[in-house]
Amino acid sequence: MLVNMIDLLKHAQKNGYAVLAASMQSEGNMKVAIQAAEENYSPIILNHRYDRFEEDFYRYGQIARQLAERTWVPVAINQDHGSTIEQNMWAIRAGYTGIMVDRQTYPLEENIKLVREMTGLAHIVGVSVESELGVVGLGDAKDIEEGKTKPEDALRFVKETGIDCLAVCIGTTNSFDVPKDQLNVKLDLDLLQRIMDVVDIPLVLHGGSGVPDEMMSKACKMGICKVNVGSDFRLNARNTLQKHMTVSDQLDYWRWMDAGYKERMAEKMNVFGSVNQAMSFIEEYIRK
């Protein structure tokens, strides 16, 4: 069931859970993600980055749409970190139901202007828009603290751009040098509450790997509606493969990697609170 991403996030916001936005690397990842969603009666978002697919970006968007249309669970297809108007337009042309307009390299004034322009174009064709304010750190405590979202900037950014959902930086990290399971990630839940006090659209969390389950669950119940996760899945896929390599022949390698992906996805859905939310969403969607 292919749906617009903002419809999923509004349901999540209303019901106090977050939707897993799983970073996709291949068609196989997409199939495994949808299987995990079906088995857990959970909605899901398939995240694609243009720089991971480039010339195949359009084709993977089409494949994702076909897979989403074949399943009964709600599936949104989202472009992650579209950094140029060309990348965003390719996502819209490929049929993505959500795009991320990422203009973080520009000063705030120019960032607002560029995001507002692209948001207007996306809304004309019914595509939802996410953008980010603040910078997810790379594991260094100083970087993480300096990159946190300022509530006053969030209020202005949301008001002047017209975006549908906002990715906030409250302590997560995108570090690739330190294994996620060795990071000491601490979410600034007080900051999250201050942002929620001034912003009423659904909030998103990037860098969802490595956050303690109890802390992440609390953030989702408070108001985080979408969590991007990638590294945790790849790490668990690798570990699962290594565990079984000595008892499997080469034809089983992909099967064990898929099992690792799906196992961790199910765990995240449970932490985020999205298990058994698919039917509730469908019932509301049909009534609209």
Side-chain angles (χ1 to χ4, degrees):
M1 179 183 183
L2 180 65
V3 299
N4 194 299
M5 188 173 75
I6 191 56
D7 290 333
L8 283 185
L9 300 193
K10 285 181 177 179
H11 184 268
Q13 185 180 40
K14 177 182 176 182
N15 292 280
Y17 72 93
V19 184
L20 167 62
S23 296
M24 298 289 100
Q25 310 293 322
S26 67
E27 180 180 349
N29 289 166
M30 296 184 229
K31 291 178 178 178
V32 168
I34 291 175
Q35 287 171 9
E38 290 171 340
E39 292 173 8
N40 290 277
Y41 298 85
S42 171
I44 193 166
I45 298 167
L46 305 182
N47 254 5
H48 296 79
R49 285 186 65 139
Y50 184 89
D51 56 9
R52 298 261 172 86
F53 296 96
E54 295 193 8
E55 66 270 12
D56 290 327
F57 185 74
Y58 179 87
R59 182 169 66 88
Y60 273 101
Q62 293 289 292
I63 292 171
R65 283 186 66 93
Q66 292 171 13
L67 293 173
E69 289 167 351
R70 280 191 229 152
T71 184
W72 67 270
V73 292
V75 180
I77 307 167
N78 181 56
Q79 178 194 36
D80 190 24
H81 289 285
S83 59
T84 66
I85 189 171
E86 291 82 6
Q87 291 182 10
N88 290 142
M89 293 304 291
W90 271 112
I92 291 173
R93 186 178 178 188
Y96 288 74
T97 61
I99 61 172
M100 181 181 178
V101 182
D102 184 356
R103 305 296 187 266
Q104 287 274 66
T105 58
Y106 294 90
L108 182 60
E109 294 287 345
E110 186 70 5
N111 187 359
I112 290 174
K113 176 178 178 291
L114 294 172
V115 172
R116 180 172 60 241
E117 291 174 353
M118 189 66 236
T119 298
L121 294 174
H123 283 173
I124 290 173
V125 291
V127 173
S128 62
V129 176
E130 170 188 341
S131 195
E132 184 176 33
L133 197 60
V135 180
V136 175
L138 295 175
D140 180 84
K142 183 179 179 181
D143 288 342
I144 292 173
E145 190 63 33
E146 290 179 350
K148 287 181 179 180
T149 305
K150 295 179 175 60
E152 61 273 20
D153 289 343
L155 173 61
R156 180 188 174 194
F157 192 81
V158 169
K159 183 178 180 180
E160 296 187 18
T161 60
I163 58 173
D164 300 293
C165 56
L166 176 69
V168 295
C169 302
I170 57 172
T172 55
T173 175
N174 278 330
S175 174
F176 298 102
D177 298 325
V178 181
K180 290 287 186 176
D181 56 356
Q182 296 179 23
L183 289 170
N184 183 25
V185 179
K186 184 177 181 180
L187 299 182
D188 190 339
L189 298 180
D190 289 336
L191 175 59
L192 173 60
Q193 185 59 58
R194 295 202 304 275
I195 295 171
M196 291 176 57
D197 288 342
V198 297
V199 172
D200 61 359
I201 63 174
L203 299 180
V204 176
L205 193 64
H206 287 203
S209 298
V211 180
D213 289 348
E214 185 177 351
M215 191 178 297
M216 179 64 83
S217 178
K218 186 173 182 179
C220 295
K221 291 174 182 176
M222 284 179 63
I224 292 294
C225 302
K226 168 179 174 276
V227 183
N228 288 16
V229 182
S231 297
D232 267 354
F233 302 144
R234 293 188 290 273
L235 178 63
N236 204 54
R238 185 195 68 187
N239 291 344
T240 304
L241 173 61
Q242 290 176 338
K243 179 180 177 181
H244 294 279
M245 278 179 70
T246 56
V247 294
S248 304
D249 64 25
Q250 293 180 359
L251 295 177
D252 286 325
Y253 284 5
W254 287 112
R255 179 165 66 91
W256 289 121
M257 290 185 71
D258 287 348
Y261 265 94
K262 188 160 67 170
E263 177 186 52
R264 190 52 55 87
M265 286 180 181
E267 292 172 0
K268 293 298 183 184
M269 291 172 182
N270 188 60
V271 171
F272 300 167
S274 68
V275 174
N276 295 324
Q277 290 288 348
M279 289 306 301
S280 173
F281 173 85
I282 293 170
E283 289 171 0
E284 289 191 14
Y285 192 81
I286 292 173
R287 287 199 299 267
K288 283 173 45 175

